[in-house]
Structure formats: C-alpha cells, structure tokens
Amino acid sequence: MTTGSAQRAWLATGMTLAALAAGMTGAQAQKKYGPGASDTEIKLGQTMPYSGPASAYGTIGKAEAAFFQMINDQGGVNGRKINLISYDDGYSPPKTVEQIRKLVESDEVLATFQTLGTASNTAIMKYMNAKKVPMLFVATGAAKFTDPKSFPWTIGYNPSYLTEAHVYAQYIVREKPDAKIAILTQNDDFGRDYVKGLKEGLGSKANMIVAEATYEVTDPTVDSQMLKLKASGADVLFNGGTPKFAAQTIKKAAELGWTPLQILNINSISVSEVLQPAGLENSKGLITINYGKDPTDPQWKDDPGMKTYFQFMEKYYPAGVKDSVFNTYGYGTAELMVHVLKQCGDDLTRENLMKQVTNIKNFAGTLGLPGITITTTPDDYRVIKQFQMQRFDGTRWILFGPIVSDEVKS
C-alpha cells in the first residue's frame, strides 16, 4: 500500500470511529421517560384536604397548581408542561389510599408531589415505595418521611417536628427556667413527634411538663382538653394543633382567662386562617419558628421575591388570600419542584427524579428567609433544616434571634 493509500485508510478508519462515537453520544443523549412523562408533559399527582377538618390547608394545592400554570405559560420546564392532578382526600387516610392508587394506576403519574398530612402519608408510604413511585416533598415534618434507608422513594419537605420541638424546649429552658408546661397535640404521629421532641429537648428538665392532652381530628372542639390543661397550673402551653384546633385553643385560653406563654407549631402560623379566627388580641405574644418571608411583614414590601409573589397571586390565583402563609408555602414548594425538574433535563425517569431531588445544592427560594438555603444528599433527605424564631405582636409576626440550623438527625 502506498503512503497515500495508507493515509486514506487511516483517515477512513478515523472517520468511521468518529461516526461510531457520535452515534454512541447520540444514543447516550436520548430522552428517557418514565410513566407520566413525554416530550410535551410531566404529570404529577397529589392529594389535598380540600374538605374535612384540615380544609384550611386546601389553598396550598390551589397555589401550587397556579404556580405550575404560570410556568406552563412561560413555556414549561425544558419545553414540557406540568400537569398537576390534585384530588381531595378530606384528610382521611382511607380516602388518601383510594386517590393515590388512582393517581398511580389509572392516571399513571410520574410522581406524587406534596401529599399532605402525617396519617395520610403514612397510609400510602409502603405502597408507594413498593411501586417505586417518588413521593416528593410530602407536606409533613414527621421523622419517618426522611428515612432513605427504609423508604428511599419518599422525601419530606417540612422541618422535622422533633427538631422544631427541640428549639422550643431550649427556648423555654432559657427564658422560663421554672416553667410548668402543658401540651396539646393531635392523637397521631404528627402529635407524638412533637411530644417526643419536647421531652428530648428538655432532657433532665422533662418534669417541667405537668399536663398532656390530645384531640382526635373528628372532635368538634378542644374545650374539655383546655379545661384539663388550665387546671394543671401550667404557665406555658404548647399548641400542637392543625389550623382549626389551633385557633380554638388560642380562643379558648382567652375565654378561660388563662394567659400562659403560648408556643404555636409552625403548621398553624397563618394570620388569616388561624390567628384572625382566634382573635388577633388573643394571639398576641405567641412564639413559633419560620423559614420563609411572611407576606404580612412590611419589611418585605420592596423585596423582589415578594413583589413577584403578589403579582403571581393577582394574575394566577386572584381568589386566594394573598397574605396567607399557606399560599407562600405552596408557591415555595412548587418553585423547588420546578428546580428539581429542570435538573432532570431530558431524563424524566422515576429513578433520575429521585437522584436529582436528593442532590439539591444550596437552593435559595425567592420567598425563603435571607441566609436559608436547601441542600439534600442521598443520605440526608431533610429539606428544611434552618429557621428563625418569631413572635406575634397582635398584628404581625416579628422575627428575632439568629438563624438556627437543624443538626439533629431525624
């Protein structure tokens, strides 16, 4: 073979190898889809308590659907529209099971997003993990929903109830070292986590707790529980109720002339849905935590993120209460979901969705408090691990103290 022929042979071989490599790259770059995903759509499902004893939370699902509509109007995520199918479960676990089976087996969603409630999510968690369907950012802070070893397809969103309770316990020990504490919680894992966290946080001072009472979600009121707790002589009350019962608790304490330091769990801090029904004057002095900007706080009136939120509410959810922290919560969770979907690129399989949701790096939501970011890893499914304490002054929540980090493994 002449030199020229050899060069042409090598050239041809090189071109062939290049073509093969290009073909392999093209194959590697091919789009991958799981159920509920296509070139045009990403189908997500959820259950929400649009009716029943926790119906105040229903606005969260409406805010999330409105956020996705805004994203769709902007062209969607990587060219795909988000289709959120949201069913009412009435805050009833058997109904949750029925609706989730429909979402997975009939609607064939890619994943569920923000299913709400501790008992409701407990009822579906084993099924979802057996089916290997992602349960993304479930709306509860119970410790069981951030357990990658036991339930790798489930990731919670809310701060750990255990850690939240630790923070309150430390605050009580510091501010009222001789306190007598009464606790009112829901009779399920949601409430039990708070009780456990308070006792853990108090440690050797757990005998400061002088009375405990629980309520059932089917109870009409908590009047009898409040009479029992007041009779204990407690001067600190931990209010672990969902919105309806939290409001009743605040109002009943005022009716009884009982004026303990009241600590309110983060799930019921909405001024419009909880504190106004309870009475703003009755709510004065309440203590809680937060990790997001409160729409009623004037310090955020010129904040770019808050301005965008109010514009969003005006256009996409005009029937919603703009000052509701439940709606800012829905906005923030939907924003994070979009961030994860963008990370997925063209690999919209359930496996890659879990890979991306457990590899979030320093995400700062537009409505998050300054200095608070979100990072997850395959070994740490906790999403919200930082927050700040706040006190209600009769009109709005006032932040105080430093950013607190969650260093307690849930």
Side-chain angles (χ1 to χ4, degrees):
M1 183 181 290
T2 65
T3 303
S5 298
Q7 287 177 332
R8 284 193 294 274
W10 279 110
L11 180 61
T13 303
M15 290 175 65
T16 302
L17 290 171
L20 284 170
M24 288 174 64
T25 302
Q28 290 168 349
Q30 281 181 352
K31 299 172 182 175
K32 295 180 182 179
Y33 294 126
S38 69
D39 282 349
T40 58
E41 182 185 49
I42 301 169
K43 194 185 297 184
L44 302 175
Q46 71 174 193
T47 54
M48 275 282 158
Y50 294 112
S51 62
S55 59
Y57 290 137
T59 191
I60 293 171
K62 294 176 182 178
E64 290 163 346
F67 187 93
F68 292 146
Q69 183 58 55
M70 177 182 71
I71 295 299
N72 290 344
D73 287 352
Q74 295 169 359
V77 177
N78 299 325
R80 301 174 181 90
K81 302 297 177 68
I82 302 172
N83 177 8
L84 177 66
I85 303 171
S86 187
Y87 291 138
D88 181 19
D89 67 359
Y91 205 59
S92 167
K95 187 68 172 177
T96 308
V97 171
E98 175 188 334
Q99 300 289 41
I100 287 294
R101 285 186 177 273
K102 182 179 177 183
L103 286 166
V104 173
E105 297 170 20
S106 299
D107 298 315
E108 296 186 313
V109 296
L110 177 64
T112 58
F113 164 69
Q114 270 275 287
T115 45
L116 189 143
T118 301
S120 299
N121 279 294
T122 298
I124 63 173
M125 184 162 57
K126 288 182 180 178
Y127 166 80
M128 293 290 283
N129 278 264
K131 289 281 189 179
K132 297 184 177 180
V133 180
M135 291 174 67
L136 304 181
F137 305 132
V138 296
T140 163
K144 66 173 73 174
F145 301 110
T146 52
D147 182 0
K149 290 181 180 177
S150 303
F151 300 102
W153 295 86
T154 303
I155 184 167
Y157 179 83
N158 297 9
S160 160
Y161 297 149
L162 293 174
T163 301
E164 182 185 349
H166 293 161
V167 172
Y168 298 144
Q170 291 158 17
Y171 176 82
I172 293 168
V173 169
R174 185 173 64 249
E175 299 296 325
K176 288 181 72 72
D178 298 321
K180 296 178 181 178
I181 305 168
I183 301 174
L184 178 64
T185 52
Q186 194 161 288
N187 188 26
D188 59 13
D189 286 342
F190 163 57
R192 284 187 281 275
D193 266 13
Y194 275 126
V195 175
K196 180 182 178 184
L198 283 167
K199 290 179 178 178
E200 285 178 353
L202 291 169
S204 62
K205 296 180 181 288
N207 59 358
M208 293 169 76
I209 298 172
V210 297
E212 298 179 40
T214 62
Y215 68 86
E216 304 293 337
V217 295
T218 52
D219 288 350
T221 73
V222 291
D223 287 1
S224 60
Q225 291 92 329
M226 288 295 289
L227 287 168
K228 170 190 171 183
L229 294 177
K230 183 195 176 186
S232 72
D235 55 9
V236 173
L237 171 64
F238 173 72
N239 182 342
T242 48
K244 169 187 170 182
F245 296 104
Q248 288 183 2
T249 299
I250 297 164
K251 191 172 184 178
K252 190 64 180 177
E255 289 175 359
L256 293 172
W258 185 25
T259 57
L261 168 67
Q262 292 193 56
I263 295 175
L264 179 64
N265 80 92
I266 194 173
N267 304 282
S268 296
I269 64 174
S270 176
V271 174
S272 54
E273 283 94 351
V274 178
L275 305 192
Q276 286 179 356
L280 294 180
E281 187 60 31
N282 299 336
S283 304
K284 193 172 182 180
L286 288 171
I287 298 288
T288 190
I289 61 167
N290 206 349
Y291 51 86
K293 298 165 186 168
D294 190 322
T296 66
D297 190 338
Q299 74 171 302
W300 309 120
K301 69 182 180 67
D302 294 322
D303 178 76
M306 192 59 74
K307 282 183 174 180
T308 301
Y309 162 77
F310 281 122
Q311 291 166 1
F312 153 79
M313 288 294 290
E314 188 69 35
K315 182 175 181 180
Y316 287 96
Y317 189 15
V321 179
K322 298 175 183 62
D323 285 348
S324 168
V325 293
F326 295 154
N327 288 329
T328 55
Y329 172 93
Y331 183 99
T333 53
E335 181 182 44
L336 181 59
M337 185 71 244
V338 168
H339 173 77
V340 170
L341 291 174
K342 287 179 179 177
Q343 277 190 200
C344 287
D346 289 332
D347 185 351
L348 286 164
T349 58
R350 287 169 170 170
E351 292 76 12
N352 189 47
L353 193 50
M354 287 309 302
K355 179 181 178 182
Q356 299 306 323
V357 81
T358 56
N359 281 281
I360 301 169
K361 305 298 181 190
N362 299 314
F363 174 80
T366 56
L367 295 183
L369 290 176
I372 289 181
T373 60
I374 292 171
T375 293
T376 58
T377 72
D379 297 319
D380 186 359
Y381 275 27
R382 297 169 304 153
V383 172
I384 303 296
K385 300 189 279 278
Q386 298 171 295
F387 27 77
Q388 193 171 5
M389 298 199 74
Q390 58 182 11
R391 180 183 291 106
F392 192 69
D393 72 352
T395 303
R396 64 184 180 89
W397 291 105
I398 307 292
L399 294 164
F400 68 91
I403 296 293
V404 180
S405 294
D406 174 359
E407 300 300 335
V408 180
K409 292 288 184 183
S410 48

